[in-house]
Amino acid sequence: MSIQTVSEMFVDINRGGEKLHVNVDIIAPKLPCSLLSLDVEDVTGSHILNVGGELKKRKLDKNGAFISQEIYQENMNPDIKETVEGFKNGEGCQVFGYILVNKVPGNFHISCHAFGPQLQAIVAETGINTIDVSHQINHISFGSDDDLKAIKSKFNVGVLNPLDGVKKIKPEHLNTTGVTHQYYLSVVPTTYTDLGGRDYFVYQFTSNSNEMNTAGLPVLVFRFDLSPVTVKFSQRRESISHFLVQICAIIGGIFTVAGIVDSLIHKSVRKLLKKAQEGKLS
């Protein structure tokens, strides 16, 4: 007997007062790790620069090859000499792990806002005109990573990571122009219940994006809004009675088709015999 997945929707009555688990894995190939800051802002007025969490930074060379890795540290000012060398050598950075944000509309963004005073000195040393937030999104999802892995192995429904694989590189003719990239994510609370009755609480999301030139400091920003409606997917094994009804329907269909074929053959044979009796059969 087959396994069916049924869906239903209801209003999320537990929308506030919780944290939202956001998994990220993003490469900024033109931004040295020492200058990359991940910030969070929401409608409650909370704005955290250089946010902490279970994050790591991976330093990459100009070809994207691994150089070194470190734990993401909050409120750590960049070493100016190291950052200048990073720009000159064309270093990039990969930031990956997860952050916890308030379960209200807001955004998280990659920028250099946390390092304003140091940035001025770095710009003077390197002669760069702007910051390049070209990027490749390896992964973004909402919810526990363990739950997401379990869902992918057991279910085949839902839109959990539509941005994976997206890549946006600033063209050469905009080298001296700041370009901000914005993604708009509509996040839907989703519950998956497997055959054993275990619940997995994650979030589906859809996205739109745009980019625009800016005279200020460029930002890679992900703006998210939470739907008040929760979607639930439940696995159910087909019942014995439903299985028997299907079997009966199949058998009934076979008999019906067989009856139609038999009737056609019988009529054809009668016509042929009648023509033969009349001497008209050639």
Side-chain angles (χ1 to χ4, degrees):
M1 290 180 287
S2 63
I3 297 173
Q4 297 177 324
T5 300
V6 297
S7 64
E8 58 183 310
M9 294 187 294
F10 54 91
V11 176
D12 181 9
I13 60 174
N14 192 28
R15 183 172 181 177
E18 294 183 5
K19 293 289 186 178
L20 191 60
H21 187 124
V22 186
N23 306 293
V24 298
D25 184 349
I26 301 171
I27 295 174
K30 302 293 185 180
L31 190 60
C33 279
S34 55
L35 207 59
L36 185 150
S37 168
L38 182 59
D39 311 331
V40 173
E41 186 176 14
D42 63 44
V43 295
T44 66
S46 174
H47 188 184
I48 305 173
L49 296 176
N50 204 18
V51 68
E54 295 294 326
L55 294 170
K56 294 180 181 178
K57 284 182 178 180
R58 184 173 290 163
K59 187 185 294 186
L60 309 173
D61 68 14
K62 63 181 180 181
N63 298 314
F66 173 80
I67 297 176
S68 63
Q69 182 171 298
E70 63 184 21
I71 301 295
Y72 189 103
Q73 299 182 48
E74 298 178 69
N75 305 317
M76 184 174 180
N77 291 328
D79 182 282
I80 293 178
K81 183 178 179 180
E82 178 187 348
T83 306
V84 169
E85 286 299 314
F87 271 112
K88 290 181 178 179
N89 295 332
E91 290 180 5
C93 187
Q94 178 180 5
V95 59
F96 60 99
Y98 73 87
I99 57 175
L100 297 174
V101 301
N102 291 329
K103 198 178 174 186
V104 295
N107 73 79
F108 57 95
H109 50 273
I110 288 176
S111 70
C112 305
H113 288 151
F115 312 122
Q118 293 82 11
L119 185 59
Q120 293 179 5
I122 293 166
V123 168
E125 286 280 340
T126 59
I128 60 174
N129 298 95
T130 187
I131 300 299
D132 188 346
V133 290
S134 296
H135 56 280
Q136 176 179 319
I137 302 172
N138 292 334
H139 182 71
I140 289 181
S141 61
F142 296 82
S144 164
D145 196 44
D146 290 338
D147 281 359
L148 289 164
K149 289 177 180 177
I151 288 167
K152 288 179 181 179
S153 68
K154 296 181 178 182
F155 295 82
N156 193 31
V157 292
V159 184
L160 299 172
N161 50 335
L163 286 177
D164 287 16
V166 170
K167 185 176 183 179
K168 293 190 177 181
I169 304 298
K170 186 167 73 171
E172 291 289 333
H173 70 275
L174 293 177
N175 270 348
T176 59
T177 304
V179 179
T180 283
H181 298 268
Q182 298 191 79
Y183 292 86
Y184 303 90
L185 315 181
S186 180
V187 181
V188 181
T190 306
T191 301
Y192 288 81
T193 304
D194 65 18
L195 281 175
R198 180 174 177 180
D199 291 328
Y200 303 93
F201 302 100
V202 294
Y203 300 82
Q204 298 181 85
F205 73 95
T206 57
S207 70
N208 292 295
S209 65
N210 68 8
E211 50 195 70
M212 58 185 179
N213 297 348
T214 176
L217 197 61
V219 181
L220 167 58
V221 58
F222 299 88
R223 304 184 186 279
F224 58 88
D225 193 11
L226 286 149
S227 169
V229 175
T230 293
V231 175
K232 183 175 183 178
F233 294 109
S234 303
Q235 285 184 333
R236 296 177 185 174
R237 195 178 296 279
E238 192 175 58
S239 66
I240 293 293
S241 59
H242 187 260
F243 176 72
L244 292 175
V245 168
Q246 285 187 317
I247 293 295
C248 291
I250 293 170
I251 294 172
I254 292 172
F255 274 106
T256 300
V257 173
I260 293 172
V261 172
D262 179 69
S263 176
L264 291 173
I265 293 173
H266 181 69
K267 288 181 180 179
S268 299
V269 171
R270 285 185 63 186
K271 286 183 179 180
L272 288 172
L273 289 175
K274 185 176 181 181
K275 287 182 178 181
Q277 289 175 353
E278 295 175 352
K280 295 181 180 179
L281 185 61
S282 58

